[in-house]
C-alpha cells in the first residue's frame, strides 16, 4: 500500500504540468495526456474512469522586453494588469493499466485593465490617468489525448516512461469583443467595440496537435525524480477575424518528489518548470500578432493521495521571464524593434482527482 500511494503521488505530480498562461504571453490554459492527473490511470484497472478538476490563478503586471523589466511602467502607473481564473475539467478512461484516453475542457474567467488601449498612457491624452477594464468568460479549447506507459506500471514502480499524443479543437471563442473607451478630437468619450487582446481570447481558432512525454525514476527510499514535456504544433497561421497569430506552445518540468508520510499518501516536491510560446512555429509560417516568450519557475508542491481521491497544490514562482522577439519584430531592418509583455510573479494551481 505504501508503494501504491507513493506511485500515485508521482503520477499525480506528473499530471500537473498545465498551469499554462503567464499574462500577456498568451499560452492557453488547457489539459493534455500529461496535463491533468490522468497518469494515475496507470494504477487503474481496465474500464475504470477518473474525473479531474483543476484551478489556476495568475495576476500579471510586470513588463519585460527580453529579460529586462520595464520598472518605469509600474512607477508611472501605465502597466497592463491581467487577472485570470482558469478551471479545467477532465475525464479519463483506462483501457488497461498502460493505455488511457482523456477528454479535457477548460473554462476561463479573465479581467484586463490598461490605459493604452483606452484613453492612452500619456498625460496629454489621459491627464487623469484613467484605467478601464475588459473581460472575457467562457469555454476554452477542448483537447482529446492518449497516454501509453512503455512498461507495466503495476510492476515497474521504481521507474517508467510514458508517451502521449493529443488533438486540440478550436471550441473556444477566438474573437471575443469588448468595449474600449476612446476620446475624439474634442475630448468627448465614445465607445469602440472590437476584439480583446490576444491574452484575453478564450481560444486561438486553430486545430493543434501535441506530442508529450512523462516519466519518473526512484533515486533512494521514498524519493524519485520526475520529468515531463509537452509541445503543441499549430499549423494555422493567423486568425482572420482578429489578425492574431496561432502559435505553437511548449512546457516542461523536472524535479524531486519525496514521500514524507507514505502510509497517509503525503508527498512534497520541488522542481523547475518552463512554459511559453516560440517566435517561429515548427509547421507553417509565423505571421500575425503574437507575444512570444517563456517563463522559468521554481515549483514547490504538496500532494495528498488516498485510495480514490487525490489533491495537488503548487505555487510556481517565476525566476526568469523573457519576452523574446516575434517574427514581426525580426522583420525590422534596423533590428531595434522588440515588443514587450506583462508577466506574473507566480501562479497558484490546485488539482483534485477522483478515480472510480
Amino acid at each position: 500500500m505504501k508503494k501504491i500511494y507513493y506511485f500515485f503521488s508521482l503520477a499525480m505530480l506528473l499530471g500537473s504540468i498545465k498551469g499554462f498562461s503567464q499574462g500577456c504571453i498568451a499560452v492557453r490554459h488547457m489539459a493534455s495526456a500529461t496535463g491533468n492527473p490522468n497518469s494515475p490511470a496507470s494504477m487503474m484497472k481496465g474500464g475504470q474512469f477518473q474525473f479531474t478538476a483543476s484551478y489556476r490563478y495568475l495576476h500579471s503586471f510586470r513588463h519585460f522586453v527580453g529579460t529586462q523589466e520595464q520598472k518605469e511602467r509600474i512607477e508611472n502607473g501605465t502597466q497592463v494588469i491581467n487577472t485570470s481564473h482558469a478551471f479545467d475539467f477532465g475525464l479519463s478512461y483506462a483501457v488497461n493499466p498502460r493505455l488511457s484516453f482523456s477528454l479535457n475542457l477548460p473554462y476561463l474567467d479573465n479581467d484586463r485593465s490598461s490605459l493604452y488601449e483606452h484613453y492612452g498612457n500619456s498625460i496629454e491624452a489621459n491627464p487623469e490617468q484613467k484605467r478601464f477594464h475588459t473581460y472575457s468568460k467562457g469555454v476554452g479549447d477542448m483537447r482529446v489525448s492518449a497516454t501509453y506507459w512503455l512498461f507495466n506500471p503495476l510492476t515497474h514502480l521504481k521507474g517508467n516512461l510514458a508517451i502521449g499524443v493529443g488533438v486540440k479543437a478550436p471550441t473556444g471563442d477566438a474573437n471575443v469583443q469588448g468595449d474600449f473607451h476612446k476620446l475624439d478630437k474634442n475630448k468627448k468619450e465614445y465607445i469602440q467595440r472590437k476584439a480583446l487582446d490576444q491574452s484575453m481570447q478564450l481560444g486561438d481558432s486553430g486545430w493543434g496537435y501535441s506530442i508529450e512525454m512523462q516519466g519518473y525514476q526512484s533515486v533512494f527510499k521514498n524519493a524519485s525524480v520526475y520529468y515531463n514535456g509537452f509541445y503543441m504544433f499549430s499549423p494555422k497561421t493567423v486568425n482572420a477575424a482578429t489578425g492574431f497569430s496561432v502559435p505553437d506552445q511548449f512546457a516542461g518540468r523536472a524535479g524531486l518528489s519525496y514521500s514524507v508520510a507514505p502510509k497517509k499518501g503525503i508527498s512534497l516536491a520541488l522542481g523547475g518548470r518552463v512554459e511559453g510560446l516560440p517566435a517561429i512555429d515548427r509547421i507553417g509560417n509565423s505571421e500575425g500578432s503574437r507575444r512570444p516568450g517563456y517563463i522559468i519557475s521554481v515549483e514547490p508542491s504538496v500532494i495528498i493521495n488516498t485510495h480514490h481521491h487525490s489533491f495537488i497544490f503548487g505555487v510556481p514562482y517565476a525566476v526568469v521571464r523573457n519576452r523574446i522577439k516575434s517574427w514581426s519584430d525580426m522583420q525590422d531592418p534596423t533590428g531595434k524593434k522588440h515588443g514587450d509583455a506583462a508577466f506574473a510573479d507566480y501562479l497558484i494551481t490546485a488539482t483534485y482527482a477522483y478515480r472510480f
Side-chain angles (χ1 to χ4, degrees):
M1 183 61 69
K2 289 168 61 178
K3 289 184 177 180
I4 290 176
Y5 276 153
Y6 182 52
F7 176 83
F8 207 7
S9 296
L10 279 172
M12 187 72 176
L13 186 62
L14 285 169
S16 66
I17 189 171
K18 297 300 183 302
F20 266 162
S21 184
Q22 281 276 1
C24 290
I25 301 294
V27 188
R28 302 291 161 205
H29 180 67
M30 60 186 175
S32 66
T34 58
N36 268 312
N38 56 1
S39 32
S42 53
M43 296 302 293
M44 294 158 56
K45 297 179 180 179
Q48 287 189 321
F49 292 86
Q50 181 167 269
F51 167 76
T52 61
S54 66
Y55 168 75
R56 182 219 60 205
Y57 166 83
L58 75 82
H59 179 77
S60 70
F61 62 98
R62 295 191 188 276
H63 287 256
F64 285 79
V65 173
T67 57
Q68 185 67 40
E69 183 180 358
Q70 297 178 298
K71 296 182 179 180
E72 69 276 7
R73 295 294 297 272
I74 295 177
E75 294 170 359
N76 298 333
T78 62
Q79 76 274 27
V80 176
I81 302 173
N82 275 24
T83 302
S84 174
H85 301 272
F87 304 85
D88 185 274
F89 303 97
L91 184 66
S92 301
Y93 173 73
V95 178
N96 55 53
R98 297 173 71 174
L99 176 64
S100 63
F101 295 92
S102 298
L103 174 68
N104 293 88
L105 188 66
Y107 182 85
L108 311 173
D109 187 337
N110 303 310
D111 174 280
R112 177 181 175 89
S113 72
S114 68
L115 282 72
Y116 87 94
E117 294 173 301
H118 302 274
Y119 287 1
N121 281 348
S122 70
I123 296 294
E124 293 77 14
N126 188 0
E128 297 181 24
Q129 294 290 277
K130 285 189 175 181
R131 177 180 292 271
F132 297 93
H133 292 253
T134 52
Y135 309 91
S136 64
K137 182 185 297 186
V139 171
D141 287 348
M142 179 182 69
R143 290 204 67 243
V144 177
S145 55
T147 306
Y148 183 77
W149 289 96
L150 298 185
F151 305 101
N152 188 341
L154 298 178
T155 57
H156 285 70
L157 294 178
K158 290 188 176 181
N160 211 335
L161 175 67
I163 56 175
V165 294
V167 176
K168 178 184 74 69
T171 54
D173 188 350
N175 188 20
V176 182
Q177 304 276 313
D179 293 335
F180 293 83
H181 298 254
K182 302 289 186 177
L183 294 174
D184 62 20
K185 61 181 181 180
N186 297 317
K187 299 297 182 180
K188 184 177 180 181
E189 184 183 79
Y190 66 95
I191 300 298
Q192 182 182 25
R193 185 82 176 173
K194 63 176 183 176
L196 301 183
D197 182 80
Q198 59 199 100
S199 64
M200 296 285 287
Q201 296 297 329
L202 303 175
D204 61 15
S205 81
W207 289 83
Y209 309 94
S210 64
I211 54 174
E212 313 167 26
M213 58 83 68
Q214 58 182 308
Y216 63 93
Q217 180 62 53
S218 176
V219 289
F220 54 86
K221 185 178 180 181
N222 294 335
S224 290
V225 294
Y226 64 89
Y227 52 90
N228 50 13
F230 167 94
Y231 193 93
M232 172 162 291
F233 303 91
S234 299
K236 185 175 180 178
T237 302
V238 175
N239 177 358
T242 62
F244 297 146
S245 181
V246 183
D248 290 359
Q249 304 180 24
F250 63 87
R253 293 167 71 242
L256 179 70
S257 171
Y258 182 75
S259 180
V260 295
K263 292 183 179 181
K264 297 181 179 180
I266 302 175
S267 298
L268 301 177
L270 180 65
R273 75 191 264 156
V274 59
E275 55 196 317
L277 304 177
I280 306 297
D281 290 345
R282 296 295 175 263
I283 301 175
N285 60 45
S286 308
E287 298 176 359
S289 174
R290 77 168 71 180
R291 298 190 190 97
Y294 61 86
I295 306 96
I296 299 175
S297 304
V298 174
E299 183 179 26
S301 304
V302 58
I303 310 102
I304 302 173
N305 291 301
T306 65
H307 186 62
H308 291 287
H309 306 271
S310 300
F311 177 78
I312 182 169
F313 178 81
V315 185
Y317 188 86
V319 293
V320 176
R321 286 160 282 194
N322 190 354
R323 200 300 202 178
I324 62 177
K325 284 191 174 185
S326 66
W327 181 87
S328 61
D329 289 340
M330 297 174 190
Q331 308 314 302
D332 177 22
T334 68
K336 296 180 179 179
K337 184 179 179 182
H338 194 158
D340 73 312
F343 294 83
D345 282 339
Y346 60 89
L347 301 176
I348 297 175
T349 66
T351 301
Y352 167 77
Y354 175 69
R355 189 175 73 247
F356 60 97

